[in-house]
C-alpha cells in the first residue's frame, strides 16, 4: 500500500522492521514489507533510520508540493540498470530512434483521448455532434504526425503544435460533460483556475512520480528526453513518456466530477486560482491509487495500470539496447 | 491470497514479546491480544514459522499457524470489537496520516 503523510507535524520513525507514524492523534505501526511508496504531502519529520529502512526495502519516499508536483524523491544511490541504456538513450534523442519513439507515444496519447471521447459519447446521444466533430478533428493528427521526418529537434515544434491543437479540442469536449458548477475554460496550472484543472494537475503530479520511478527502475534516465525541453534546457524524458499515460488520470478525474464525488470544500482559494486542501488531496490520492490498481488488458494479459507503466519502461529500455550498434556505432 | 493466522499461548513475557515482534515485522496485524492475522507471502510465512520455532519452549508454549483462503475469510463472522477486514486483507491501498 501507499503511505501518505498529509497531516502537519507528523513524524515518521523506524521501529525494528516497522514504520512508526506519529501524529497528534497517536502513533501507528506499519510493517515495511507492506509499503510500496511513501508520499509526503505536508510538513512532516522523517528520521534517517526510517529513510534507511525504506531504501533497504526499495520503498521510495516522494515529496509533493501543494500542487501535487513531486519536488524531490529519496532513492538509493544506485541505478536500476546498466549505464549503457542511458548512453543509447541520450544519443537516440538526436536521431531517428528518438523521433520514432516520440511519434509513437504522441499518437498513442491522441488515440487515448479519442477513445475516451468515444466512450463519453455513448452515454450522451443528445449532444453527439460535439463529440463527432471533435473525433473527426482529432483523428487527422496521428497521420500528420506519422508523416513528419527529421531529428527530434527538427520535428519538436510541429509535434507540439499538433498536440496542442488536439488537446485544446479534447478539453473543450471534456468541459461540456461537466455539470454547470464545474465547467472550465481550457487548461490552467500554477495555480489552477478551477476545480477540474486543480484535480487534473494534482493527478498529473502523482503520475509523474509513478513514471519517474518506473524509468529509474528500468535504467532509463528521467531527464534525457527526446521532445520535451524544460526551462533549464534539460530534456525531460518523463514528460515525453507521460503523454500516453495521462488518460489514466483524465478518466478518474472526469468520473469524480460526473459522479458528483467532488465537494467545493476540497478547494482553498489562493490568489489567481484554487488549490487542493488536505481533504481534497485525500479524496484525490485515494481515487488515483484505486484507478492505477485497476487491471486493463495489455498485450493479451490483464495487468494493473501502474504495472503497465513499468512493463513499458522495461520494453523501451530493451528496444534501446537493440539499437546499440546503430547509435553508438 | 492466503491469509495467515498466528495464535499463541506463551508463558514467558520475554518470549512472548519476541513473538509479537516477529509477527509485526512480517506484516501481520494484531487482531487480539494473542492473535495475529495478515496476508503475507509464503517466504515470510516460512520465516515466521522458523523464527518462532527457534525461541519458544516446546514443553510449555503453544503456537498455531493457520492458513486461510479468501473464500473462507469472506465467510468470517465478527462480533463485538471487530477488526477491519479490509485492512488485514490488504485491500486498503492507500493510508493517510
Amino acid at each position: 500500500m501507499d503511505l501518505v503523510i498529509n497531516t502537519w507535524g507528523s513524524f515518521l520513525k523506524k521501529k525494528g522492521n516497522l514504520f512508526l507514524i506519529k501524529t497528534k492523534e497517536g502513533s501507528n505501526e506499519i510493517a515495511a514489507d507492506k509499503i510500496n511508496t511513501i508520499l509526503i504531502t505536508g510538513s512532516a519529520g522523517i528520521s534517517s533510520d526510517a529513510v534507511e529502512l525504506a531504501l533497504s526495502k526499495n520503498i521510495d519516499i516522494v515529496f509533493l508540493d501543494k500542487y501535487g508536483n513531486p519536488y524531490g524523491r529519496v532513492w538509493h544511490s544506485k541505478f536500476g540498470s546498466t549505464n549503457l541504456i542511458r548512453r543509447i538513450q541520450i544519443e537516440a534523442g538526436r536521431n531517428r530512434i528518438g523521433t520514432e519513439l516520440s511519434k509513437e507515444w504522441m499518437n498513442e496519447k491522441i488515440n487515448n483521448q479519442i477513445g475516451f471521447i468515444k466512450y463519453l459519447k455513448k452515454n450522451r446521444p443528445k449532444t453527439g455532434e460535439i463529440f463527432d466533430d471533435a473525433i473527426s478533428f482529432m483523428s487527422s493528427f496521428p497521420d500528420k504526425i506519422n508523416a513528419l521526418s527529421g531529428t527530434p529537434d527538427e520535428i519538436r515544434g510541429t509535434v507540439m503544435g499538433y498536440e496542442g491543437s488536439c488537446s485544446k479540442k479534447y478539453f473543450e469536449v471534456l468541459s461540456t460533460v461537466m455539470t454547470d458548477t464545474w465547467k472550465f475554460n481550457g487548461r490552467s496550472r500554477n495555480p489552477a483556475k478551477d476545480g477540474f484543472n486543480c484535480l487534473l494537475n494534482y493527478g498529473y503530479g502523482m503520475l509523474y512520480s509513478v513514471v519517474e520511478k518506473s524509468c529509474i527502475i528500468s535504467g532509463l534516465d528521467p531527464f534525457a528526453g527526446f521532445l520535451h525541453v524544460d526551462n533549464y534546457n534539460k530534456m525531460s524524458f518523463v514528460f515525453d513518456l507521460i503523454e500516453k499515460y495521462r488518460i489514466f488520470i483524465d478518466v478518474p478525474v472526469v468520473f469524480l466530477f460526473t459522479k458528483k464525488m467532488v465537494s467545493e470544500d476540497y478547494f482553498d482559494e489562493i490568489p489567481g486560482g484554487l488549490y487542493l486542501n488536505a481533504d481534497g488531496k485525500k479524496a484525490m490520492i485515494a481515487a488515483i491509487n484505486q484507478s492505477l490498481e485497476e487491471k486493463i488488458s495489455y498485450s493479451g494479459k490483464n495487468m494493473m495500470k501502474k504495472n503497465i507503466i513499468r512493463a513499458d519502461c522495461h520494453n523501451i529500455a530493451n528496444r534501446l539496447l537493440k539499437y546499440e550498434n546503430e547509435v553508438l556505432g | 491470497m492466503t491469509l495467515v493466522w498466528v495464535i499463541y499461548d506463551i508463558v514467558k513475557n520475554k518470549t512472548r514479546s519476541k513473538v509479537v515482534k516477529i509477527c509485526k515485522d512480517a506484516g501481520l496485524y494484531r487482531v487480539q491480544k494473542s492473535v495475529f492475522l495478515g496476508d503475507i507471502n509464503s517466504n515470510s510465512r516460512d520465516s515466521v514459522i522458523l523464527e518462532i520455532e527457534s525461541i519458544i519452549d516446546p514443553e510449555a508454549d503453544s503456537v498455531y499457524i493457520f492458513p486461510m483462503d479468501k473464500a473462507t475469510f469472506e465467510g468470517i463472522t465478527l462480533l463485538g470489537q471487530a477488526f477491519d477486514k479490509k485492512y488485514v486483507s490488504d485491500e486498503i491501498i492507500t493510508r493517510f496520516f
Side-chain angles (χ1 to χ4, degrees):
Chain A
M1 84 181 103
D2 282 1
L3 196 60
V4 183
I5 315 251
N6 198 17
T7 323
W8 190 89
S10 6
F11 199 86
L12 186 68
K13 296 205 301 191
K14 170 186 184 266
K15 187 186 170 196
N17 197 14
L18 305 168
F19 287 111
L20 186 72
I21 305 114
K22 281 196 165 166
T23 56
K24 268 174 268 167
E25 274 112 58
S27 50
N28 284 277
E29 291 171 346
I30 297 187
D33 292 340
K34 296 277 175 195
I35 296 177
N36 301 318
T37 301
I38 299 172
L39 289 175
I40 298 180
T41 71
S43 308
I46 178 164
S47 77
S48 57
D49 281 351
V51 173
E52 192 189 354
L53 174 63
L55 298 188
S56 73
K57 300 270 177 191
N58 259 340
I59 301 165
D60 59 336
I61 302 166
V62 184
F63 297 89
L64 304 175
D65 69 12
K66 60 180 175 182
Y67 304 115
N69 299 316
Y71 62 86
R73 136 174 277 137
V74 185
W75 186 258
H76 51 63
S77 46
K78 289 167 250 170
F79 293 120
S81 187
T82 129
N83 205 24
L84 181 62
I85 299 171
R86 307 169 82 223
R87 279 173 59 207
I88 303 171
Q89 186 189 342
I90 289 165
E91 286 302 320
R94 297 186 203 139
N95 63 29
R96 69 161 189 93
I97 296 154
T99 306
E100 259 172 45
L101 287 169
S102 324
K103 280 157 71 174
E104 207 174 283
W105 300 334
M106 204 51 96
N107 282 340
E108 207 168 320
K109 172 192 182 161
I110 293 172
N111 287 327
N112 287 340
Q113 291 179 332
I114 296 173
F116 188 37
I117 291 182
K118 283 185 179 159
Y119 175 85
L120 291 171
K121 183 194 158 192
K122 262 195 264 170
N123 298 320
R124 293 169 179 79
K126 279 184 198 158
T127 47
E129 251 172 58
I130 301 171
F131 298 101
D132 288 333
D133 285 350
I135 293 167
S136 69
F137 174 79
M138 290 165 72
S139 301
S140 64
F141 285 101
D143 288 339
K144 285 189 196 167
I145 290 177
N146 277 334
L148 296 174
S149 62
T151 64
D153 257 340
E154 288 159 356
I155 65 161
R156 175 175 298 131
T158 323
V159 174
M160 293 306 206
Y162 289 159
E163 190 264 334
S165 329
C166 224
S167 285
K168 192 163 174 275
K169 191 52 124 190
Y170 172 68
F171 285 110
E172 272 172 32
V173 178
L174 291 193
S175 179
T176 65
V177 308
M178 307 288 273
T179 55
D180 288 340
T181 334
W182 298 113
K183 288 215 186 302
F184 59 92
N185 196 2
R187 290 276 292 127
S188 54
R189 44 183 100 75
N190 290 337
K193 292 199 170 64
D194 49 74
F196 179 80
N197 278 293
C198 205
L199 285 194
L200 203 63
N201 293 343
Y202 203 87
Y204 286 165
M206 289 172 64
L207 182 67
Y208 183 93
S209 155
V210 174
V211 176
E212 184 184 49
K213 181 179 179 179
S214 301
C215 285
I216 299 172
I217 291 174
S218 8
L220 297 165
D221 187 332
F223 296 102
F226 302 152
L227 276 187
H228 282 86
V229 183
D230 76 20
N231 294 340
Y232 296 95
N233 214 17
K234 267 189 206 159
M235 295 173 284
S236 177
F237 187 70
V238 176
F239 277 111
D240 284 348
L241 192 56
I242 205 173
E243 296 295 352
K244 58 182 190 148
Y245 304 117
R246 290 197 192 269
I247 196 77
F248 291 171
I249 303 297
D250 297 354
V251 174
V253 167
V254 169
F255 287 167
L256 277 177
F257 283 100
T258 55
K259 290 179 179 159
K260 300 197 171 60
M261 287 160 71
V262 182
S263 147
E264 284 181 39
D265 300 338
Y266 286 174
F267 306 98
D268 286 347
E269 279 194 34
I270 52 168
L274 293 174
Y275 100 93
L276 210 56
N277 58 28
D279 286 341
K281 281 180 204 162
K282 212 168 169 171
M284 182 63 189
I285 295 175
I288 296 297
N289 278 346
Q290 197 83 47
S291 162
L292 289 176
E293 297 236 331
E294 270 166 24
K295 287 184 177 164
I296 55 172
S297 154
Y298 173 84
S299 49
K301 277 182 287 193
N302 272 339
M303 222 163 149
M304 271 188 217
K305 290 177 191 169
K306 64 176 185 187
N307 293 342
I308 290 177
I309 300 179
R310 188 165 309 170
D312 275 348
C313 285
H314 280 295
N315 285 339
I316 294 165
N318 284 331
R319 269 169 80 179
L320 287 175
L321 284 172
K322 280 191 199 129
Y323 292 122
E324 183 187 352
N325 290 333
E326 183 178 339
V327 173
L328 300 176
Chain B
M1 176 179 97
T2 311
L3 280 127
V4 179
W5 291 89
V6 178
I7 298 167
Y8 55 78
D9 200 342
I10 290 168
V11 179
K12 276 192 192 155
N13 289 341
K14 203 174 164 191
T15 316
R16 198 182 317 117
S17 48
K18 274 186 189 162
V19 169
V20 168
K21 189 172 181 294
I22 292 167
C23 292
K24 279 188 180 173
D25 281 357
L28 296 168
Y29 303 104
R30 195 170 199 169
V31 295
Q32 258 180 26
K33 276 224 166 117
S34 44
V35 181
F36 279 86
L37 170 63
D39 187 2
I40 58 175
N41 63 34
S42 51
N43 285 341
S44 307
R45 190 182 61 201
D46 292 346
S47 74
V48 166
I49 294 171
L50 289 173
E51 281 178 64
I52 294 180
E53 196 178 17
S54 69
I55 57 167
I56 57 167
D57 173 5
E59 303 298 318
D61 301 334
S62 62
V63 179
Y64 309 140
I65 295 161
F66 299 106
M68 176 182 260
D69 62 26
K70 192 174 164 79
T72 321
F73 179 72
E74 297 298 329
I76 290 180
T77 306
L78 300 173
L79 303 172
Q81 292 299 308
F83 59 84
D84 185 342
K85 275 175 102 171
K86 278 200 167 151
Y87 183 48
V88 296
S89 59
D90 287 339
E91 279 172 56
I92 293 179
I93 51 175
T94 318
R95 284 203 73 194
F96 293 89
F97 292 100

